[in-house]
Amino acid sequence: MQDFHARAVRECGGELVAVANHREETARAFADRHGIARVTTDWEALARDADVDAGVVATPNALHAPQTVALLDTGKHVLVEKPMAVSVAECDAMIEASRLSGAQLMVAHCWRFHDDVRALERRVAAGELGEIVKTRGYGVHAGWGPAGWFVDRSLAGGGALPDMGVHAIDTARFILGDPHPVRVCAEIGTRYGDYDVDDDAILLIAWSQGTNSVVESGWWQPHKEGLEAETEVYGTGGYARIFPREEPSEDYEHCTQPMYTAQMQEFFAAITEGRQPRPSGEDGRIVVGVVEEAYRSAGAWT
């Protein structure tokens, strides 16, 4: 996702001044792709650098909170990748750092900025589908799953649920007008791989305005009923889904640059206007809270 963010900064008129990565060769390759002059393995130096106005934190999940707080503490605005953190307690620390410093904090739930997601959100808000009874969302990889830090619980905080499921959770919440969860039930397991994180989950979320959402997440599934962040909406006045049911063609590109650019535009606009961006730290905290409650409900790792 780092390349999407870098292109978005450029397309929004921003300047990429530095990149930090603990592997210098990786950072240099990234800098070469995007014309970034400064490369470092010391992200803390960038947090202290007065020439840096804002940062994008796109590191393993367990690093989101300490890196974001360090940037916010020095007055730098932050766009942090999803999931916002690995616990609600870490989310609270990030939100408090933003409040104390006055620097803006935004969480990169990118699907809110996809044209088709926004179109369905508008239809729901206009009442076109009547009262929304339930939604069904998907965050599933079929025949594939990640490796590296994604399957290391100490770095990722979980498996497919914080990796893929959070897309479906936040997309459903956005389409429904950002209600609050009042109850979360889940069954979570490790069925497809040899690692200590989850690769299969089904969640039931009851929202404050009365809608129930079913969310499926997973890696290495033999089949997926919907593309990443797909959400089906069932209302008293009709049914709709974000993306076509038909399997996409081989040249179909699901995750595209325009939604990342729109996301960065919101980040820049919030900084310029001195307002809280959306999705905010509070929005990100709600998603992490749903994940926490799901693991608790399933008795995972307790």
Side-chain angles (χ1 to χ4, degrees):
M1 298 301 104
Q2 293 93 326
D3 289 296
F4 283 108
H5 292 309
R7 289 190 292 267
V9 169
R10 295 277 184 163
E11 290 180 7
C12 292
E15 180 184 0
L16 295 164
V17 298
V19 57
N21 190 300
H22 73 285
R23 292 190 297 267
E24 184 175 355
E25 65 275 16
T26 301
R28 290 200 178 280
F30 183 87
D32 289 343
R33 288 198 301 275
H34 298 286
I36 303 172
R38 183 177 175 186
V39 174
T40 182
T41 59
D42 184 4
W43 66 266
E44 292 174 297
L46 295 183
R48 297 188 299 267
D49 192 331
D51 291 332
V52 176
D53 298 318
V56 176
V57 175
T59 52
N61 303 340
L63 301 178
H64 289 182
Q67 292 177 339
T68 296
V69 168
L71 288 162
L72 291 168
D73 282 348
T74 56
K76 293 167 177 55
H77 311 287
V78 176
L79 174 63
V80 59
E81 258 297 344
K82 64 78 198 168
M84 179 179 175
V86 297
S87 70
V88 168
E90 287 190 344
C91 294
D92 288 340
M94 297 158 77
I95 292 167
E96 179 68 2
S98 174
R99 186 188 69 81
L100 291 174
S101 69
Q104 302 300 336
L105 171 61
M106 182 175 174
V107 183
H109 284 294
C110 59
W111 291 100
R112 288 180 175 234
F113 298 92
H114 193 288
D115 285 345
D116 293 342
V117 175
R118 288 177 157 181
L120 183 51
E121 185 273 337
R122 289 192 296 269
R123 293 178 65 190
V124 170
E128 182 179 327
L129 303 177
E131 178 187 356
I132 307 305
V133 177
K134 71 174 181 178
T135 73
R136 191 175 190 95
Y138 307 95
V140 175
H141 284 312
W144 184 86
W149 68 262
F150 286 94
V151 296
D152 182 341
R153 194 196 312 169
S154 67
L155 292 174
L161 181 53
D163 175 36
M164 295 292 292
V166 295
H167 285 309
I169 294 166
D170 186 70
T171 302
R173 181 170 179 259
F174 173 67
I175 287 170
L176 294 172
D178 288 326
H180 289 263
V182 296
R183 186 170 63 258
V184 178
C185 304
E187 286 295 334
I188 299 173
T190 304
R191 304 295 187 92
Y192 296 95
D194 183 18
Y195 31 64
D196 66 349
V197 295
D198 55 282
D199 58 16
D200 181 68
I202 299 176
L203 280 62
L204 174 62
I205 307 165
W207 300 104
S208 54
Q209 94 301 26
T211 302
N212 294 315
S213 290
V214 177
V215 169
E216 299 182 18
S217 75
W219 299 325
W220 298 106
Q221 308 281 304
H223 171 76
K224 59 183 180 183
E225 184 61 24
L227 300 170
E228 181 179 316
E230 172 68 281
T231 304
E232 300 177 85
V233 178
Y234 299 77
T236 57
Y239 163 87
R241 62 188 292 149
I242 300 169
F243 305 111
R245 184 178 295 277
E246 295 79 13
E247 286 292 319
S249 61
E250 290 185 1
D251 61 352
Y252 172 79
E253 186 179 3
H254 187 56
C255 188
T256 60
Q257 184 62 48
M259 68 179 179
Y260 285 91
T261 300
Q263 177 176 254
M264 193 64 67
Q265 288 171 339
E266 165 64 9
F267 183 49
F268 281 17
I271 293 170
T272 300
E273 297 164 13
R275 60 170 174 83
Q276 188 175 72
R278 295 294 303 272
S280 64
E282 293 290 347
D283 293 315
R285 181 189 188 278
I286 286 172
V287 174
V288 172
V290 169
V291 172
E292 269 196 2
E293 286 298 318
Y295 283 137
R296 187 176 296 115
S297 169
W301 311 326
T302 59

